[in-house]
Amino acid sequence: MTDARPSSGFDPAGEDRREELLEEYVDRLNSGERIDPQDIRREHPAVAGALIEALEAFAALSASAPAGRLAEEPQLGKLGDYTLRRRIGRGGMGVVYDAWQGSLDRRVALKVLPAGVAADSRAFLRFMREAKTAAQLHHPNVVAVYGMGVEAETPWFAMEMVDGETLAELLRRGPPAPEAFQAHCLRMGAAFADVADGLQHAHSKGVVHRDIKPSNLILDSEGRLRILDFGLARLEG
């Protein structure tokens, strides 16, 4: 069977749609769901070939692979100036570690693109684009990017470490007790207003996030709701 392939001409609308679908499938894989390539071919025939190729590059779509497993994920140890201490999650196609930057004696969140995934040029370019886009932003409600690079064929970028919970995690815990509900709503209302300020800052720099959702918002220890993951962001112009 021959997969549908995108045309050789560049179609911005089609590329945007392909990346939106890719992000949706990555979220499903990250949650542990198994995805059947035949379902992709049936539901999205126009972009099925490109989607399957991209997903196979970093998420092991074959029936024999464990659900949601990333290929050639780095083991805990050192990556250049960074010591990987523990894995704390995934963001888009990358793996995020709690890491220590030796030269500056500071704790960071290090997002890594496994070497097997980085071999796919589109995955590599998308990862690096995310780092460069987020690094242009300097706002208290946007998680800061400190630096980026490639070590041992493994691309990485270092971010501010934010101790807290994502909005998705908070929602899974359910609502607060009735006596605390009003205060909770007031705090969250103020937090969302700050997120809007962060998005306005991004828009003023020509950056459109395009993927605001509970898992991409993290509430820090000071009660600020911070914006994560610019993997689907677009630079206007």
Side-chain angles (χ1 to χ4, degrees):
M1 180 181 292
T2 301
D3 291 333
R5 298 286 177 177
S7 63
S8 57
F10 178 67
D11 176 5
E15 181 68 11
D16 281 354
R17 180 57 180 154
R18 188 188 74 84
E19 290 217 359
E20 288 171 1
L21 289 169
L22 178 60
E23 185 73 11
E24 291 175 13
Y25 281 117
V26 167
D27 281 346
R28 289 166 60 182
L29 285 167
N30 285 346
S31 69
E33 182 180 343
R34 290 184 181 274
I35 293 176
D36 186 345
Q38 294 301 328
D39 290 339
I40 298 177
R41 294 187 180 98
R42 183 178 61 257
E43 296 169 10
H44 307 290
V47 293
L51 277 174
I52 293 169
E53 183 179 347
L55 286 166
E56 285 180 337
F58 65 84
L61 271 177
S62 63
S64 61
R69 180 180 176 182
L70 288 173
E72 298 179 33
E73 181 177 324
Q75 300 300 307
L76 295 182
K78 287 190 68 71
L79 188 65
D81 190 28
Y82 301 91
T83 300
L84 309 182
R85 304 199 293 193
R86 64 186 178 95
R87 176 174 149 173
I88 56 177
R90 294 182 186 171
M93 65 182 66
V95 183
V96 184
Y97 293 92
D98 179 343
W100 186 260
Q101 185 177 9
S103 61
L104 294 178
D105 287 331
R106 66 177 175 183
R107 186 181 175 210
V108 301
L110 195 72
K111 190 169 184 178
V112 173
L113 189 65
V117 180
D120 179 84
S121 60
R122 283 174 297 187
F124 175 82
L125 291 173
R126 184 171 180 259
F127 184 84
M128 291 310 211
R129 183 187 66 203
E130 177 186 354
K132 291 178 180 179
T133 300
Q136 296 182 37
L137 307 178
H138 303 280
H139 189 277
N141 292 91
V142 176
V143 174
V145 171
Y146 295 147
M148 61 183 290
V150 180
E151 183 74 26
E153 300 183 348
T154 301
W156 57 267
F157 65 87
M159 301 175 286
E160 173 187 5
M161 172 60 77
V162 178
D163 286 316
E165 291 182 291
T166 67
L167 185 58
E169 292 168 333
L170 290 171
L171 289 172
R172 282 195 291 270
R173 285 218 318 262
E179 62 272 16
F181 186 74
Q182 183 175 359
H184 171 77
C185 289
L186 290 173
R187 285 196 302 271
M188 292 307 296
F192 275 104
D194 290 340
V195 166
D197 286 341
L199 288 174
Q200 175 57 38
H201 170 73
H203 293 168
S204 73
K205 301 293 184 181
V207 176
V208 181
H209 189 284
R210 298 176 63 241
D211 196 29
I212 293 296
K213 58 188 177 185
S215 61
N216 285 342
L217 297 172
I218 186 168
L219 193 67
D220 69 17
S221 58
E222 298 178 2
R224 289 180 300 176
L225 202 53
R226 315 282 293 279
I227 302 170
L228 297 165
D229 203 333
F230 283 77
L232 281 183
R234 282 285 181 267
L235 285 171
E236 292 181 342

